[in-house]
Amino acid sequence: MTVLELDNVVKHYEAGDETVRAIDGVSLTVEPGQLVALYGPSGAGKTTLLLLAGAMAVPDAGTVRFDGTDLSGMSVTETTRFRRSTLGFVWQKFNLYPLMPAIDNAGFKLLAEGATRRQARAAAAPWLERVGLSERAEHPPERLSTGERQRVAIARALANGPRLVLADEPTGNLDTRRARSILQLLADVSHQDGVGVLLVTHDPAAASFADRVHTLSDGKLVTASGSTGAEVPAAAQRGS
Amino acid sequence: MRPTVVPWLYWLRLRKWPVQELLALFGIAVGVALVFAVQVANSSVTGSVKQMVHGITGSSDYALVGRDQNGFAETTITQVKSAPAVAAAAPIILARAAVTGPEDRTSVALAGVTPDFADLNGSLVRSFGGEYGVRLTPNSLLLPESMASRIGVGPGDEIRLDAFGRAQRVHVAATVGSGQVGALADSPIVVGSLSFVQSLTGLDQRVTHILVTPRAGREDEAHESLRQIADDRLDVVPSDNESRLISQAAGPNEQSTGMFAAISMVVGMLFAFNAMLLTIPERRRTTAEMRTQGFSRSQLTTVLVFESLALGVVASLCGLVLGDQLSRHIFPAEPGYLSFAFPVGHARIVSAQDVAIAFGGGLVATLVATSRPLFDVFSSRSVDEQERAADLPSVRVAPHARRLLLVGAAALIAFAAAVLVVRPSWTHAGIVALGIALLLVLPSTLAGALKFAERASHGAGGRLLFVAVFELRANTTRAIALAATGALAIFGSVAIEGAHRDLQRGLDDFGAAYVGTADVWVSSGGDENALLTTPFTVPSALRALSSSEAVAASRFDRGGFVDVAGRRVWLIARQPARRPPIPPGEVTEGDLRDAVARLRDGGAVIASSGLADHLGVNVGQQLMLPTPTGTVPLRLVATTTNLGWSPGTLLLSAADYRRLWHSDDVTAVEIDLNPGTPPAEGRELVQSALAGTSLTAETAGQRLDRIKRLTRQGLDRLSQISRLMLVAAAMAMAAAMSAAVWQQRRRLAVLRSLGFDRGQVWRILLIESALVLAVGALLGAVFGLAGQILATRWVALTTGFPSIFSPAITLAGATFLGVSLVALLAIAAPGYAASRVSPQASFD
């Protein structure tokens, strides 16, 4: 079943006297094990799209479905539970806790589910190993490189076994070499563990790691392409 | 850069961070308000006397003053006026009295004056008999309007006047208002003709002062003439001597309350610092960006200093307004113990100095609290480094830095301990050292507490505690600043209130022992006579009571106030009794039994240690005592505390007093009742023997209650400061924590994105607040107890009052709990609101 489906979604904001259509009739899907990259210049609506996908904003028109369930009808408590159990987030600025060991950072979100610290660490350990940082498990972020910090953030996003990971410019603070390694990691996790990944990025290198690439401009999808790089008209996407 | 740019830049910042600026303003304003209110209260007490004295003495330079309340011969004025160097002279009786109207009773200075006062031009008495439009009738008095209104009388009404143990009905000729005598309309003085006042007081053909204006350029000659006339039986003093004496008497009290108000100012400064802390990253970033844009160091300094000064000026002005209200309604000028010896009024006097000190203190505090970005302006770091540094939260105080701070704290604590043992006169420096040590210890204590909390979070139910610990570690500086505010306030409060209770305990203990020597006391009554210094003639009926069945013994005490070396000293001369004249616990040097025996033999004196030090006399040496019969040497046989009278105390035998003062007047009669006679019954019996007089009989218990009430009047100021500081600290912490919570919104949004629900986020915030509060409050309470030792010692040294130290553990515990709970409750609502942050904000 399609993990995430946006169907003709519209979202607008009031900015002073103007109404800005941040998302203007966008439709896209993310399948399990698929990495979808979303390009666009600043102000194109990428982050808004991510917020809609993460049930942090409600569309003004259209639907957002997760595993077939419409997210817009959920209460605050339900959306919290939804995020806790089925989503993972990766931010550009990592949002790790300073001074907290990497393994505790990685298992952090499991505390929200009621896990003890010991249980959270145990659950996070394999993911930390998966991202190649098991030997630095007790290191706080201050003693990790930027690339390593992002790896810890990815481990955190995966620690609860999510169905979908939403990544907002995860390589924005990284140099080219580290950025590529992060993208590779996300792609590997997506393909090997069947996790859907929706990646918002400016990084052109993402195209070679993504299964599908969308370009957003002024709230509209202007192009979509498969991993081969061939253009896939946006209109053709609505049917899938 | 044009000058108009500077305020415009500040206006932009104000619009962005109004809450933080308001918090900082509030903190500084509270500190300024406390300092100002205490200053006004202190200076009003002494200022009212100074105002009144100046209103009487006018242009006179010198005064010839009697050495006791009975004054000296009026004919002395002839000698004074005949001195070639004397331009003008005026005799006056100034006596302690009390007036009673339908609504109230108040102690006053009773002034008997002559038309000679017109030559002295004192604003209160220059128009005597003339300009007011009123001629004083022979049997009437002039009252200030505010006093007349307070006791409920007006022109033509009758009042009861109590003076020298005599009660009489007197007419009010007129009242004078501010339109006639300015601020003196609030002075506690009643004026009559000299002859009338002589008859009221029984001082026939006697005066207490002669005020003298010398001829220009012949002041020394005039002084020498007066000295010869005085012939060591009278004192020649500056005409404003009363002002100097009350300044000396009030000094210790003012010092102690002033010190504690200063602690409040520091708490206010910390409050402002907390608020500023919330905007420091943004301000540092702005500073770095402006440097990038090409603003020079001097331009940036101008901008930053303007912002500080603007905040400081507005905050200090607000503080003055708030302090004005505090001084009117919460810190009114209470005469307290000073009214025993001085005619202290209720006037509220605000001097330019009071305003300047409070305002200046507020400006300095603001500059210190907001100075952080200035370091960046003069830093050698590159702009890029500064911008990045501004974005990093202040995560930790490095372990080696914490160790250094601990070493510093240990050194300061050692200094405070050494001061206590070796150099008690530096005790106030010890208190300051202890306060600084508290701040230095805080980072390590907080780090230790967080480590302990982290370990505790391993168990079941500790996950939210775990999150709270790391939230606090994510911004250690802010946590330290918050904890420091509470810690310092509680430290100050526990130390001040603990010292207050120790002093009160000492005074109560002394009072109980002192009045416990008799079952019933007879005196002229009145709060102003609490030290039993008003002389009276013993009625024959009272003497006859000695042979009644109920009375075992009567003793006639003498004493009063005597001015010695610039101090108004309490002189006690008690007749020998079974019990010693003072409690043994009050003796600081010498053996009491031996000293009392020597007093009985004559030629000896016991002095308070502060007075003895001031006079440079040790036990065994001679102390020169000015008396109406001349200055006499007396051997100092022991020293004591000052028995609750800060200028100092002297004890003589009653026989020596009679001999040296040539007076049979007594100031109190102590009556021992036979076993089986209840004190109340004994009191009634004695009172019946006093019929027709204005004398009062009190049981020992009644007298003690009155003394306790009066001593509390002055010392209660310390409690008020302590409580206000706590309230301000609790509000400061709550407000700063609320603002900090709001600033944490992005981090809270991350928590929400990661799946923490609102309830969990709220509980995390409460746990964070509780941790910070607990560390700060606990540390403050512990240091407060140590501070109490120093504060009690310092106040006892400064005031000379007896004190009994008892660790205020219950107080410290209650303060710790109270402040923590209040602040926690106050943050519950903003925390709840902040926990409802949308996860969207994590993407901002």
Side-chain angles (χ1 to χ4, degrees):
Chain A
M1 181 188 283
T2 303
V3 173
L4 177 73
E5 183 185 354
L6 275 67
D7 185 12
N8 207 19
V9 165
V10 173
K11 179 71 181 172
H12 51 71
Y13 295 110
E14 305 300 320
D17 294 333
E18 274 186 64
T19 300
V20 176
R21 283 176 88 91
I23 298 293
D24 193 2
V26 167
S27 297
L28 64 79
T29 58
V30 179
E31 304 295 335
Q34 189 178 52
L35 192 154
V36 176
L38 195 62
Y39 270 130
S42 293
K46 306 186 299 297
T47 302
T48 306
L49 203 69
L50 220 55
L51 293 174
L52 289 166
M56 285 181 265
V58 176
D60 296 308
T63 52
V64 178
R65 287 193 200 84
F66 189 93
D67 278 350
T69 306
D70 188 347
L71 297 182
S72 55
M74 284 187 180
S75 66
V76 170
T77 308
E78 284 166 340
T79 52
T80 303
R81 238 179 257 139
F82 163 71
R83 278 193 296 276
R84 183 187 294 171
S85 56
T86 57
L87 291 185
F89 286 95
V90 180
W91 286 274
Q92 179 179 356
K93 289 192 175 178
F94 323 133
N95 283 330
L96 299 176
Y97 269 93
L99 302 173
M100 186 186 285
I103 189 158
D104 286 303
N105 261 306
F108 187 75
K109 63 191 288 195
L110 298 172
L111 300 176
E113 287 183 25
T116 64
R117 191 180 163 198
R118 198 164 286 138
Q119 289 167 339
R121 285 169 70 104
W127 290 106
L128 210 60
E129 189 176 345
R130 181 69 180 279
V131 302
L133 289 177
S134 54
E135 285 181 8
R136 300 172 81 75
E138 296 300 332
H139 289 214
E142 298 78 36
R143 290 173 60 191
L144 300 173
S145 68
T146 48
E148 288 169 339
R149 290 179 204 171
Q150 196 60 293
R151 286 172 179 271
V152 173
I154 292 171
R156 180 179 63 189
L158 298 168
N160 63 330
R163 300 261 292 130
L164 177 69
V165 169
L166 302 173
D168 185 20
E169 305 273 6
T171 60
N173 278 356
L174 304 179
D175 58 43
T176 310
R177 184 176 65 83
R178 289 189 175 98
R180 292 184 78 86
S181 79
I182 290 298
L183 291 169
Q184 183 65 64
L185 176 60
L186 283 170
D188 289 345
V189 162
S190 172
H191 297 146
Q192 292 167 18
D193 296 274
V195 178
V197 177
L198 181 59
L199 171 75
V200 161
T201 184
H202 279 125
D203 189 349
S208 54
F209 295 92
D211 299 304
R212 190 178 308 140
V213 177
H214 293 282
T215 304
L216 204 59
S217 178
D218 290 332
K220 292 185 197 307
L221 277 182
V222 294
T223 58
S225 61
S227 55
T228 58
E231 289 284 318
V232 176
Q237 294 293 316
R238 286 193 208 106
S240 57
Chain B
M1 183 170 70
R2 290 181 186 276
T4 50
V5 168
V6 177
W8 176 69
L9 287 173
Y10 183 50
W11 170 241
L12 290 176
R13 203 170 75 74
L14 263 184
R15 286 176 63 184
K16 187 166 182 196
W17 298 102
V19 173
Q20 283 74 13
E21 289 292 302
L22 267 176
L23 285 177
L25 186 149
F26 179 67
I28 296 291
V30 166
V32 168
L34 276 174
V35 169
F36 181 63
V38 167
Q39 290 277 115
V40 168
N42 285 343
S43 53
S44 291
V45 168
T46 54
S48 66
V49 171
K50 291 175 185 175
Q51 214 172 51
M52 187 190 70
V53 166
H54 189 66
I56 295 171
T57 61
S59 63
S60 64
D61 288 348
Y62 301 121
L64 204 56
V65 182
R67 285 180 176 174
D68 74 350
Q69 294 180 76
N70 292 321
F72 53 95
E74 187 179 353
T75 52
T76 311
I77 185 68
T78 311
Q79 285 180 277
V80 172
K81 282 185 173 177
S82 66
V86 170
I92 184 173
I93 283 181
L94 267 180
R96 302 300 314 285
V99 295
T100 309
E103 290 176 20
D104 203 359
R105 179 185 191 278
T106 186
S107 63
V108 298
L110 175 61
V113 299
T114 67
D116 288 334
F117 268 85
D119 297 332
L120 300 184
N121 209 34
S123 49
L124 194 58
V125 294
R126 64 176 164 228
S127 306
F128 175 76
E131 212 174 289
Y132 299 143
V134 173
R135 288 199 179 280
L136 281 178
T137 62
N139 296 332
S140 61
L141 296 173
L142 209 64
L143 264 61
E145 246 174 28
S146 67
M147 182 206 300
S149 160
R150 196 160 54 246
I151 66 173
V153 296
D157 291 338
E158 256 194 1
I159 56 173
R160 171 179 151 153
L161 179 88
D162 291 288
F164 284 70
R166 302 144 71 110
Q168 290 152 100
R169 307 292 303 176
V170 179
H171 278 103
V172 177
T175 60
V176 288
S178 54
Q180 293 149 313
V181 293
L184 288 166
D186 287 322
S187 294
I189 185 169
V190 297
V191 181
S193 67
L194 180 63
S195 56
F196 180 50
V197 171
Q198 284 171 331
S199 70
L200 286 174
T201 56
L203 296 176
D204 290 334
Q205 296 179 337
R206 296 182 78 78
V207 294
T208 59
H209 297 67
I210 294 178
L211 299 174
V212 176
T213 302
R215 296 192 190 281
R218 299 173 73 177
E219 289 80 9
D220 291 343
E221 186 186 336
H223 187 271
E224 179 56 28
S225 300
L226 292 173
R227 210 184 53 78
Q228 287 177 8
I229 294 169
D231 193 27
D232 198 27
R233 293 172 296 108
L234 308 173
D235 289 323
V236 181
V237 296
S239 61
D240 65 347
N241 193 49
E242 204 75 0
S243 304
R244 296 164 193 237
L245 288 170
I246 194 174
S247 292
Q248 190 283 323
N253 201 44
E254 289 177 356
Q255 252 186 301
S256 53
T257 55
M259 160 101 169
F260 297 135
I263 293 176
S264 310
M265 174 70 97
V266 173
V267 171
M269 187 189 76
L270 268 179
F271 183 3
F273 179 72
N274 266 328
M276 286 289 112
L277 209 60
L278 302 172
T279 62
I280 278 178
E282 181 266 343
R283 294 173 86 209
R284 293 182 72 193
R285 204 176 303 117
T286 305
T287 306
E289 282 166 9
M290 287 175 77
R291 278 188 69 188
T292 310
Q293 300 293 333
F295 283 83
S296 68
R297 281 185 167 153
S298 64
Q299 287 171 328
L300 284 170
T301 306
T302 304
V303 168
L304 291 170
V305 169
F306 175 85
E307 289 178 357
S308 297
L309 284 177
L311 175 64
V313 165
V314 174
S316 297
L317 286 173
C318 291
L320 290 175
V321 170
L322 181 62
D324 183 64
Q325 293 304 305
L326 278 180
S327 75
R328 285 176 197 274
H329 305 293
I330 299 181
F331 284 172
E334 288 290 353
Y337 71 96
L338 291 172
S339 65
F340 302 164
F342 300 95
V344 183
H346 294 268
R348 200 173 140 272
I349 294 173
V350 179
S351 71
Q353 185 178 291
D354 296 337
V355 174
I357 288 174
F359 189 85
L363 279 183
V364 169
T366 312
L367 282 168
V368 170
T370 58
S371 59
R372 181 62 186 87
L374 273 174
F375 288 92
D376 288 339
V377 171
F378 293 96
S379 165
S380 56
R381 289 205 288 185
S382 70
V383 174
D384 176 54
E385 275 182 62
Q386 286 183 12
E387 276 188 318
R388 276 187 280 123
D391 281 333
L392 289 175
S394 187
V395 170
R396 65 194 309 209
V397 178
H400 73 272
R402 290 204 301 264
R403 279 194 290 274
L404 274 175
L405 293 176
L406 277 179
V407 168
L412 287 168
I413 292 171
F415 169 75
V419 152
L420 191 65
V421 173
V422 174
R423 187 77 99 167
S425 58
W426 286 7
T427 309
H428 59 292
I431 296 174
V432 173
L434 211 56
I436 298 173
L438 164 65
L439 297 176
L440 297 183
V441 160
L442 201 51
S444 295
T445 310
L446 187 62
L450 291 179
K451 197 160 202 165
F452 177 77
E454 188 191 341
R455 285 209 188 109
S457 70
H458 275 286
R463 53 203 174 88
L464 298 186
L465 175 62
F466 177 72
V467 179
V469 164
F470 279 91
E471 277 289 331
L472 284 173
R473 281 179 176 159
N475 201 329
T476 310
T477 307
R478 188 178 67 213
I480 290 173
L482 282 169
T485 305
L488 207 59
I490 292 174
F491 161 71
S493 178
V494 170
I496 294 169
E497 181 59 18
H500 168 222
R501 292 183 184 192
D502 290 341
L503 271 191
Q504 197 62 64
R505 201 175 295 116
L507 285 170
D508 288 350
D509 217 56
F510 160 71
Y514 188 82
V515 307
T517 55
D519 297 311
V520 178
W521 289 76
V522 175
S523 68
S524 293
D527 286 348
E528 71 284 353
N529 190 36
L531 297 184
L532 305 183
T533 54
T534 302
F536 60 90
T537 306
V538 180
S540 52
L542 188 61
R543 287 190 190 274
L545 210 54
S546 303
S547 55
S548 88
E549 276 181 17
V551 175
S554 299
R555 289 179 297 283
F556 302 98
D557 294 343
R558 292 163 174 82
F561 287 108
V562 59
D563 295 343
V564 179
R567 295 182 173 211
R568 180 149 292 171
V569 175
W570 180 24
L571 185 69
I572 305 171
R574 301 176 79 176
Q575 220 171 356
R578 279 197 315 276
R579 290 185 224 177
I582 52 166
E586 302 303 323
V587 175
T588 56
E589 191 182 346
D591 177 76
L592 181 61
R593 189 179 293 182
D594 180 54
V596 169
R598 292 213 187 175
L599 283 188
R600 204 172 286 144
D601 293 341
V605 67
I606 296 174
S608 57
S609 53
L611 179 62
D613 289 343
H614 178 65
L615 296 173
V617 179
N618 297 318
V619 172
Q621 295 178 336
Q622 287 196 332
L623 183 152
M624 304 304 289
L625 180 65
T627 76
T629 55
T631 303
V632 298
L634 297 167
R635 184 167 300 280
L636 182 64
V637 293
T639 60
T640 65
T641 66
N642 60 21
L643 310 184
W645 179 249
S646 61
T649 313
L650 291 169
L651 273 90
L652 293 180
S653 71
D656 271 344
Y657 185 89
R658 285 179 70 189
R659 175 172 62 84
L660 296 171
W661 265 258
H662 276 179
S663 169
D664 277 329
D665 284 344
V666 301
T667 53
V669 179
E670 296 185 50
I671 296 175
D672 296 335
L673 299 173
N674 277 318
T677 308
E681 202 177 292
R683 190 206 77 86
E684 274 182 35
L685 175 69
V686 172
Q687 190 66 58
S688 65
L690 301 174
T693 72
S694 67
L695 299 176
T696 307
E698 296 175 288
T699 63
Q702 285 173 325
R703 184 159 176 235
L704 181 60
D705 286 344
R706 189 155 61 91
I707 288 171
K708 281 184 178 177
R709 176 174 53 82
L710 292 169
T711 56
R712 269 157 181 73
Q713 250 182 14
L715 290 182
D716 274 354
R717 180 64 39 81
L718 297 179
S719 281
Q720 287 167 337
I721 293 173
S722 162
R723 276 196 291 271
L724 274 172
M725 189 160 54
L726 276 183
V727 167
M731 288 169 63
M733 292 180 79
M737 282 192 294
S738 304
V741 152
W742 211 249
Q743 208 184 32
Q744 257 178 296
R745 287 179 82 247
R746 193 176 173 280
R747 296 190 66 85
L748 299 180
V750 170
L751 284 177
R752 299 277 286 117
S753 300
L754 291 175
F756 286 84
D757 62 39
R758 287 171 176 174
Q760 288 171 323
V761 171
W762 187 43
R763 288 197 294 281
I764 288 167
L765 289 173
L766 289 177
I767 294 171
E768 274 183 59
S769 302
L771 281 171
V772 168
L773 284 169
V775 168
L778 193 60
L779 211 53
V782 168
F783 270 73
L785 287 172
Q788 180 198 350
I789 301 173
L790 287 161
T792 297
R793 191 68 183 272
W794 186 70
V795 180
L797 272 171
T798 315
T799 63
F801 290 174
S803 66
I804 299 176
F805 174 76
S806 174
I809 295 173
T810 313
L811 168 69
T815 308
F816 158 67
L817 279 174
V819 170
S820 303
L821 273 171
V822 165
L824 207 56
L825 282 170
I827 213 237
Y832 180 75
S835 70
R836 299 173 81 78
V837 65
S838 167
Q840 262 191 41
S842 64
F843 288 86
D844 290 344

